[in-house]
Amino acid sequence: MTVIVVMGVSGSGKTTVGTALAERLGVDYAEADTFHPKANIDKMSSGHPLNDEDRQPWLEAIATWIRDHQCSGGVVTSSALKYRYRDILRGGGKVWFLHLHGDRDLLADRMKTRSGHFMPVSLLDSQLADLEPLRPDEHGLVADIAKKPEEIVETALSAFKDRR
């Protein structure tokens, strides 16, 4: 089966949309932040962006989760900012990307109003600078975060089911 990777920068709504998608599909859900080593969380919490070396073990752990869910399917979140990061995730098996994309001001507002998350708003611009949109050879959909989460989920489910 195919695993859905809900991707996008911080504040895009990955957790909200990802949990709703998993519930609707009746599959397991995994939050990408739980795969980060403590050193990564500490680094981001202190306002420093991760580099490719920092992200490597995190991406490999997510790819392992994807591999473990090839028979049952699943939904996992990941910023998946760069094509080469998504290549690592594809190494885990069949994936379909839902890229949650939106206006910088909306993203920043969301980040400012959420509580209990380690990612500071000051790192948003570094994520946006690293973000590489889905390429034509990547299976997936880009969704506008200005829409309600329920609308995004419905559109994503329709596109996911029609992907063949």
Side-chain angles (χ1 to χ4, degrees):
M1 289 188 75
T2 302
V3 170
I4 296 175
V5 177
V6 182
M7 63 171 279
V9 299
S10 190
S12 61
K14 295 182 296 290
T15 301
T16 300
V17 171
T19 55
L21 273 173
E23 185 176 305
R24 289 284 302 276
L25 292 167
V27 296
D28 287 344
Y29 169 77
E31 170 61 48
D33 290 341
T34 64
F35 295 93
H36 273 301
K38 184 177 181 327
N40 283 7
I41 292 173
D42 291 346
K43 187 173 184 177
M44 289 182 285
S45 296
S46 67
H48 300 285
L50 299 179
N51 59 35
D52 290 351
E53 186 178 312
D54 297 325
R55 287 186 177 107
Q56 185 74 29
W58 172 68
L59 292 163
E60 289 172 358
I62 296 170
T64 297
W65 189 92
I66 291 168
R67 187 174 304 110
D68 292 345
H69 287 80
Q70 285 298 288
C71 291
S72 60
V75 176
V76 63
T77 60
S78 172
S79 55
L81 299 173
K82 297 180 181 180
Y83 183 83
R84 69 176 172 259
Y85 299 168
R86 296 189 294 271
D87 259 351
I88 294 169
L89 300 179
R90 279 188 286 274
K94 289 179 65 176
V95 294
W96 186 85
F97 294 99
L98 174 59
H99 178 186
L100 302 179
H101 181 71
D103 177 73
R104 188 219 177 273
D105 291 338
L106 177 56
L107 291 162
D109 286 346
R110 286 180 173 186
M111 291 177 75
K112 289 174 190 171
T113 59
R114 67 182 178 182
S115 60
H117 198 278
F118 59 85
M119 182 68 120
V121 178
S122 62
L123 293 182
L124 178 58
D125 289 331
S126 69
Q127 282 199 325
L128 290 169
D130 282 349
L131 180 62
E132 296 174 1
L134 289 177
R135 295 182 184 179
D137 66 325
E138 295 183 277
H139 302 287
L141 173 75
V142 178
D144 183 354
I145 65 165
K147 294 184 178 177
K148 293 180 180 177
E150 302 81 29
E151 291 178 72
I152 294 171
V153 168
E154 287 302 323
T155 301
L157 286 171
S158 179
F160 182 68
K161 291 174 182 172
D162 292 344
R163 72 191 183 284
R164 293 180 179 86

